Amino acid sequence: MEKIIKPMSGYLTLILTLVLLAVSIALFANSHGNGWMITGGVILSLSGIFLSAGLIVISPNHSRVLTFFGKYVGTAKENGLLFVNPLYTKQKISLRAENLESSRLKVNDSMGNPIEIAAVIVWRVADTYKAAFEVEDYEQYVKVQSEAAIRHLATSFPYDQFEDENASITLRGGGEKVNELLEKELSDRLAPAGIQIIEARISHLAYAQEIAGAMLQRQQATAIVAARTKIVEGAVGMVELALEQLSKKEIVHLDEEKKAAMVSNLMVVLCAEKAATPILNTGTLYQ
């Protein structure tokens, strides 16, 4: 478990180190073969070098994980020049938010259709102990587990309702719900590494190239059928209204044969893709 420690300020140690090194240089310069002065200069210079090994500089949103001969001591997050035990091993871990844009993964959706999917993930280290010791390489762990989560999400739902009309959630139409599911999946997978997911969004979603053309034709055909259905429903209503008004106002009396001819003509005019060309009838309705 992460343990936060607050090391002492390193400015006093820095001054002491500089003084020791300056004195050692002076002793070397004035030794003139004196063994005691040379020995004292060596001791002071080694002491200065040893103390300088304990100086660390921590920038904002950075940290140092400290260990002492394999034992976890704590994590230093305080910014500035600090001094710790020179024998500590210091591992630098960034606490800044990181962006990960996955490659375009080719997977099969829940209906077996090959699709391409990619996501943008914003993450940060929340627990430095887990990031340093629970996994081998936390950045590589984030990358691998993120791709696994995206693949799992893609195989759990159909691409669109064209494939499964009863689907409550689809990859294409799920919107924020799909993103929320992806964030939860990532949080569960990356929790052992102490990673916090800030945001996850689907950045690319499309049918695979080998079926993209066929699926586009299918979508176009479905759209055309839906449009035609609306046109026919509207045309039937207009014809019904026309016959009702003609009968109500007694503008013209139509028998069943005349009604059938009028309905046929009106349906052709209302449902045709192009404007109808009128034909003048100089005879009777029965000719």
Side-chain angles (χ1 to χ4, degrees):
M1 184 175 181
E2 184 182 62
K3 180 172 64 174
I4 306 299
I5 62 174
K6 295 183 178 181
M8 62 180 292
S9 174
Y11 291 100
L12 181 60
T13 303
L14 177 62
I15 294 173
L16 179 60
T17 300
L18 294 176
V19 169
L20 290 175
L21 293 176
V23 172
S24 66
I25 293 173
L27 289 176
F28 285 130
N30 299 286
S31 63
H32 302 297
N34 189 318
W36 290 104
M37 294 184 69
I38 294 175
T39 302
V42 171
I43 293 174
L44 291 177
S45 61
L46 291 177
S47 299
I49 294 173
F50 178 75
L51 289 175
S52 67
L55 293 173
I56 57 175
V57 177
I58 302 181
S59 303
N61 281 326
H62 286 78
S63 66
R64 296 291 189 278
V65 176
L66 307 175
T67 56
F68 183 67
F69 293 106
K71 182 180 179 180
Y72 175 65
V73 176
T75 300
K77 295 183 179 181
E78 187 176 350
N79 303 143
L81 179 64
L82 307 171
F83 177 73
V84 297
N85 190 330
L87 296 179
Y88 285 171
T89 301
K90 313 163 194 72
Q91 180 180 353
K92 180 180 179 181
I93 294 183
S94 173
L95 304 178
R96 294 178 296 185
E98 302 280 353
N99 278 323
L100 172 65
E101 184 175 4
S102 70
S103 58
R104 293 186 179 183
L105 306 176
K106 186 175 180 181
V107 296
N108 293 333
D109 67 0
S110 62
M111 303 302 293
N113 297 310
I115 64 173
E116 293 180 351
I117 187 171
V120 174
I121 302 165
V122 183
W123 61 276
R124 61 180 292 272
V125 175
D127 190 318
T128 56
Y129 176 85
K130 291 182 178 180
F133 303 115
E134 294 293 340
V135 295
E136 181 66 27
D137 183 343
Y138 69 90
E139 291 184 344
Q140 182 66 18
Y141 186 86
V142 170
K143 181 178 179 182
V144 173
Q145 291 299 322
S146 295
E147 290 190 356
I150 295 170
R151 288 181 182 275
H152 182 263
L153 177 73
T155 57
S156 301
F157 302 100
Y159 177 87
D160 208 330
Q161 287 186 332
F162 289 118
E163 307 302 325
D164 186 359
E165 295 181 354
N166 298 321
S168 58
I169 300 177
T170 63
L171 297 174
R172 184 167 176 263
E176 289 299 320
K177 183 62 176 178
V178 172
N179 293 329
E180 290 175 5
L181 292 173
L182 178 58
E183 289 181 12
K184 184 179 184 305
E185 177 86 11
L186 288 168
S187 297
D188 293 340
R189 287 177 176 268
L190 299 178
I195 303 300
Q196 175 190 2
I197 299 300
I198 300 174
E199 185 180 24
R201 292 288 182 269
I202 300 297
S203 60
H204 173 77
L205 182 64
Y207 282 113
Q209 187 175 1
E210 58 266 27
I211 67 167
M215 289 301 178
L216 178 60
Q217 291 179 351
R218 178 177 180 179
Q219 291 176 355
Q220 290 174 340
T222 303
I224 291 173
V225 170
R228 286 293 180 186
T229 300
K230 291 294 183 182
I231 291 174
V232 171
E233 290 177 356
V236 169
M238 293 175 68
V239 170
E240 182 181 5
L241 179 61
L243 292 176
E244 181 182 349
Q245 292 295 322
L246 289 173
S247 176
K248 181 177 180 180
K249 296 183 178 181
E250 297 183 353
I251 297 174
V252 62
H253 295 284
L254 301 175
D255 56 23
E256 293 302 320
E257 184 177 355
K258 293 178 182 179
K259 287 182 180 180
M262 178 175 287
V263 169
S264 175
N265 292 335
L266 287 174
M267 291 297 293
V268 169
V269 171
L270 295 173
C271 297
E273 293 184 0
K274 297 181 180 180
T277 302
I279 299 176
L280 297 177
N281 187 356
T282 58
T284 66
L285 291 175
Y286 298 98
Q287 292 180 349

